[in-house]
Amino acid sequence: MLSPAIVVIALVAAYPIGYAIWLSLNEYSVRVPGLSRFAGFDNYTEALGSPEFWNAVVTTFIFTGISVALELALGLAMALAMHEAFRGRGLLRTVVLVPWAVLTVVSAITWRTIFEPNLGLAPQVLSTLGLPGADIVWLGESGYALAVMVLADVWKTAPFMALLLLAGLQVIPNDLYDAAKVDGATTWQRFLRVTLPLLTPAILVALIFRTLDALRIFDLPYVLTRGANDTTTLSLIAHQELTSNRLIGYGSALSVLTFVIVMAVSLLYIRTVGGNIRALAEEK
Amino acid sequence: MRRLRPLALAAAILALALAACGDDDDGGAGGGAADAESVSQAKATGDVTWCIGKDTTGAFGTVVENFNKANPEANVELLQLPESADEQRRLQIQRLRAESPECDVLGMDVIWTAEYAAQGWLLDVTEAVEKRKDEFIPSTLNTALYEDKYWAVPFNTNAGFIYYRTDQEAQPPENWQAMYEEAQKGNGLIYQGARYEGLTVNFLELLYSAGGNVINEDGTEATADSQETRDVLTFMNQGIEDGAVPKAVTTYMEEESRRAFEAGDATFMRNWPYAYALAKESNIADDFAVTTFPSYQGNQGAGVLGGYDLAISAYSENPEGSLAFINFATSPEQQVLMVTKASLPPVTTSVYSDPQVEKTLPFAAELLDAVEQAKPRPVSPVYPQISEAIYTNVFAALQGDMTPDEAASTMNEEIQKALETF
């Protein structure tokens, strides 16, 4: 019964990956039509030896680390709020998801306009309120540009995080809270000792989703800065080499390296999640 | 054994997949530009598909309609590609690599000519162009030239201008240096300084005016590590340091520049002619004028050519019909229509003195001057890499991340590396 599933996986996943690996082992001429040559690992040596690649790795990981951490904190807060019973809860749950429904490219263009020097909403508001930062060209400075990128990403995906965590919260039985209350646990203690441990599997699943997405980030830096001011991510250089410079071999090598990095991170997560869930099961 | 079966199956499929893609790119090994096929005879019959960027003004559609009406035996269809030039190129290349006959006539940004021709994707139209050579502005024809042959017919052109506030400046600036000084006293000069193709253009305008270039005549050697490059980079960097040019420029593309100028945030702006009509509807409608580039250190100012050419795909099934349509679309009557309907600067000289054109583009005479003076960007099949080498290093110099000396030598190295690409 397994075979059809494996055939499907092979077609949709293995084939493109295999093709990309094959492309990355060759060089395709940009001068002579149809000319190509086998390059072995030359493309990889070139990529691994270029500061551009390592800068992109660093940028991608900084972006992923900060944005996913913020999304987790914010998402958890939103999930806890939405979990409480109050009037209009259903409406709130829907409204909160709106940013997630907006296409990233569209929201990126919006953020670009918001941070447009002088004319944008952000500098206007900051200067009206007399806050610092009104004179900063946000997308024109290292650090600030990355901050805008993180902000745009958190705005969009924190709701998604919240939704996944809310689902996790809803399966925690109320009896546990009642029992904790009887034992005289404070709200903070109930959160630390009941909610957090039981929510861990949901948190890890949400983290996997967000981390893998963040590692592949392309649309935000492409629209916001075109990679200027230390916002060039792995996907962005792969795209630049593949479609703009048409260096198909080298670009594919960059894509494969991105794939390997993402794969390594996801394996790491899966081990942690697996171990964690097993540990929880044993405790019970 | 049972555990191994799926694994073996997956491995077999992977092996098959790898084998299948092995002979992908070996086919179609033509000789490229050297022995490409040509078309010289135009015949207005059969089906032709015209693939060009989005028809935002309806002008392209009107040309197609006019052609179909005049030639009942032919039928041209318009296939609109996205608005962004990068996307247009991506979609055209996708079809050309697949040897698809879907697009007969390609609307090509002038910087793609060398790349497309080198790949053997275009038909040689030298004979057809030679016959009509006198009609065109000579500089625009250079954008269709690669290895001494014409691969396309100019369709519309473009050249940068200086916009200035007439309520702040009594007369247009005499030279670049004076303009920067005036800008420093006034509200500044803005241009396209973000890290993208536009910055390459803005830099080359100054470099060409200074008498420099980034590659040699036959495109084999990088010549960017020159005194001219260092001067221009120092000049641009100094402009930002002194406040003649606001820091915000390093995030500006065309639209951001236009909005800032219209909001009254600048005394001078470098932009394309399209901004004229829009600025005429803004708050500063009566307070600005346009002028051609001023001189630079005693040299006459030079612009950089933009615009689109029309080429015939090597995979077209109707080259003669395609040529007939191109001749029609680039004829003076249709060029007038391009101006009045879409404000696209024409490529045929005579059109600039047409009363209708002068009405739509009040600065038609200056525009013709600017286009005649303008030079093409480096002609090379690796142009995208050359441009990337230019704008990343100019940007680093603007930001102060590199000294002008470092930026010039890194730019040169990267251009040289690009020229040596396999």
Side-chain angles (χ1 to χ4, degrees):
Chain A
M1 271 336 269
L2 263 175
S3 337
I6 286 178
V7 170
V8 171
I9 291 173
L11 282 179
V12 301
Y15 176 77
I17 293 169
Y19 190 37
I21 293 174
W22 170 254
L23 290 176
S24 73
L25 298 174
N26 287 280
E27 267 192 288
Y28 299 84
S29 177
V30 288
R31 309 175 165 281
V32 184
L35 185 67
S36 68
R37 65 180 181 205
F38 187 72
F41 289 100
D42 285 3
N43 290 323
Y44 290 95
T45 331
E46 197 188 335
L48 294 172
S50 86
E52 204 195 9
F53 172 76
W54 292 109
N55 285 341
V57 171
V58 171
T59 303
T60 309
F61 273 95
I62 293 178
F63 167 77
T64 305
I66 301 178
S67 61
V68 174
L70 290 176
E71 281 152 23
L72 176 63
L74 207 64
L76 189 56
M78 284 160 75
L80 289 170
M82 287 190 291
H83 191 49
E84 298 299 315
F86 57 89
R87 272 172 65 102
R89 185 170 73 164
L91 184 71
L92 182 73
R93 284 180 183 177
T94 318
V95 169
V96 137
L97 263 181
V98 169
W100 176 249
V102 178
L103 287 177
T104 311
V105 174
V106 175
S107 70
I109 293 172
T110 313
W111 284 106
R112 192 179 149 83
T113 318
I114 289 175
F115 279 95
E116 196 167 317
N118 305 323
L119 305 175
L121 182 69
Q124 299 266 0
V125 168
L126 288 172
S127 91
T128 312
L129 297 178
L131 291 170
D135 297 332
I136 292 167
V137 180
W138 284 81
L139 294 169
E141 303 269 0
S142 267
Y144 290 99
L146 194 68
V148 175
M149 205 165 114
V150 168
L151 176 64
D153 196 61
V154 170
W155 175 80
K156 183 180 157 69
T157 53
F160 174 71
M161 194 72 129
L163 201 72
L164 287 180
L165 297 181
L166 183 61
L169 282 177
Q170 283 174 335
V171 297
I172 301 176
N174 266 330
D175 316 356
L176 293 176
Y177 291 106
D178 295 340
K181 266 186 217 164
V182 170
D183 289 343
T186 61
T187 317
W188 181 240
Q189 279 173 329
R190 284 193 309 251
F191 174 73
L192 274 189
R193 298 288 169 81
V194 181
T195 313
L196 220 44
L198 290 173
L199 198 59
T200 308
I203 290 178
L204 283 168
V205 169
L207 280 179
I208 293 187
F209 273 117
R210 281 308 311 144
T211 309
L212 299 194
D213 250 4
L215 286 172
R216 295 176 299 137
I217 188 77
F218 169 76
D219 19 24
L220 279 178
Y222 184 76
V223 173
L224 287 175
T225 57
R226 298 267 173 146
N229 305 314
D230 299 321
T231 55
T232 302
T233 60
L234 282 166
S235 301
L236 206 61
I237 49 168
H239 171 268
Q240 170 76 17
E241 300 296 354
L242 267 173
T243 67
S244 173
N245 296 345
R246 274 197 322 109
L247 300 175
I248 293 164
Y250 184 56
S252 299
L254 289 170
S255 309
V256 172
L257 286 172
T258 310
F259 164 72
V260 169
I261 291 172
V262 173
M263 185 85 171
V265 172
S266 59
L267 283 177
L268 207 74
Y269 262 121
I270 289 169
R271 294 198 86 163
T272 327
V273 178
N276 219 286
I277 290 174
R278 228 168 298 137
L280 278 178
E282 274 159 25
E283 256 174 54
K284 274 183 192 168
Chain B
M1 208 41 216
R2 235 168 102 199
R3 278 187 66 134
L4 279 178
R5 243 176 58 200
L7 262 180
L9 192 67
I13 288 167
L14 193 65
L16 261 174
L18 282 173
C21 33
D23 35 40
D24 196 58
D25 271 277
D26 311 328
D35 50 39
E37 289 182 41
S38 64
V39 53
S40 52
Q41 225 44 47
K43 207 167 138 223
T45 54
D47 293 334
V48 171
T49 305
W50 180 24
C51 300
I52 191 163
K54 199 161 184 267
D55 189 13
T56 43
T57 57
F60 299 161
T62 316
V63 171
V64 168
E65 240 172 70
N66 291 349
F67 179 80
N68 288 341
K69 232 181 267 166
N71 301 282
E73 302 206 346
N75 181 38
V76 174
E77 256 181 66
L78 178 64
L79 195 151
Q80 298 185 39
L81 302 173
E83 249 181 289
S84 127
D86 286 344
E87 285 301 294
Q88 294 163 18
R89 173 170 167 270
R90 192 176 64 77
L91 291 170
Q92 288 182 355
I93 289 183
Q94 206 172 49
R95 287 170 170 77
L96 292 164
R97 275 176 58 88
E99 302 182 13
S100 151
E102 187 183 8
C103 295
D104 297 287
V105 176
L106 302 165
M108 255 185 349
D109 191 318
V110 293
I111 50 179
W112 306 336
T113 312
E115 180 186 19
Y116 282 25
Q119 286 291 316
W121 290 334
L122 305 180
L123 291 183
D124 175 357
V125 291
T126 310
E127 250 183 82
V129 170
E130 292 286 352
K131 271 185 238 165
R132 302 180 49 205
K133 213 171 169 179
D134 299 340
E135 295 175 36
F136 296 101
I137 307 171
S139 61
T140 64
L141 280 171
N142 289 337
T143 65
L145 200 61
Y146 177 66
E147 293 193 338
D148 301 323
K149 286 182 186 157
Y150 289 110
W151 300 95
V153 181
F155 177 53
N156 60 60
T157 185
N158 228 338
F161 273 96
I162 297 297
Y163 291 67
Y164 67 98
R165 293 290 298 267
T166 44
D167 52 345
Q168 297 170 28
E169 298 292 317
Q171 60 218 13
E174 235 168 79
N175 54 51
W176 278 94
Q177 284 75 13
M179 179 160 71
Y180 269 57
E181 276 163 33
E182 284 294 303
Q184 197 183 346
K185 280 184 254 161
N187 283 339
L189 159 75
I190 52 180
Y191 55 85
Q192 292 76 52
R195 211 182 72 152
Y196 80 120
E197 181 63 30
L199 181 55
T200 297
V201 172
N202 279 258
F203 166 76
L204 286 179
E205 281 163 353
L206 278 166
L207 186 67
Y208 288 169
S209 300
N213 205 338
V214 290
I215 58 172
N216 66 354
E217 197 74 14
D218 55 0
T220 50
E221 207 79 46
T223 60
D225 196 3
S226 64
Q227 194 52 46
E228 287 86 358
T229 306
R230 285 188 288 269
D231 280 351
V232 167
L233 289 175
T234 311
F235 182 67
M236 291 175 87
N237 172 273
Q238 204 61 43
I240 291 184
E241 297 258 298
D242 295 346
V245 175
K247 181 84 205 316
V249 151
T250 59
T251 63
Y252 281 179
M253 298 196 207
E254 283 82 356
E255 279 296 89
E256 284 87 1
S257 325
R258 179 180 68 82
R259 283 198 289 265
F261 187 69
E262 288 180 2
D265 286 353
T267 308
F268 300 97
M269 166 176 76
R270 180 267 169 219
N271 214 329
W272 303 98
Y274 89 96
Y276 184 86
L278 294 162
K280 275 290 169 205
E281 288 162 18
S282 74
N283 286 337
I284 57 153
D286 303 323
D287 300 323
F288 80 96
V290 295
T291 174
T292 47
F293 287 128
S295 66
Y296 184 87
Q297 292 179 345
N299 296 324
Q300 194 190 20
V304 169
L305 282 172
Y308 275 74
D309 294 342
L310 297 181
I312 304 172
S313 159
Y315 309 108
S316 164
E317 282 160 359
N318 185 7
E320 293 173 343
S322 303
L323 186 58
F325 173 69
I326 292 179
N327 280 336
F328 182 85
T330 55
S331 67
E333 302 80 56
Q334 305 307 312
Q335 289 275 298
V336 170
L337 190 113
M338 282 298 135
V339 181
T340 52
K341 273 206 100 151
S343 295
L344 289 173
V347 289
T348 43
T349 320
S350 63
V351 171
Y352 283 85
S353 43
D354 184 289
Q356 265 180 288
V357 169
E358 284 177 329
K359 211 178 127 200
T360 322
L361 295 176
F363 55 102
E366 284 102 331
L367 182 60
L368 181 59
D369 269 355
V371 171
E372 278 174 338
Q373 285 169 24
K375 292 186 196 167
R377 278 163 268 180
V379 175
S380 166
V382 292
Y383 176 76
Q385 287 184 70
I386 296 178
S387 179
E388 190 191 354
I390 296 174
Y391 66 68
T392 46
N393 291 298
V394 175
F395 186 82
L398 288 184
Q399 291 283 44
D401 294 342
M402 275 189 195
T403 65
D405 283 9
E406 285 165 354
S409 69
T410 318
M411 186 194 296
N412 199 65
E413 249 167 62
E414 289 176 12
I415 293 175
Q416 191 59 40
K417 189 172 164 244
L419 291 174
E420 283 161 14
T421 315
F422 171 58

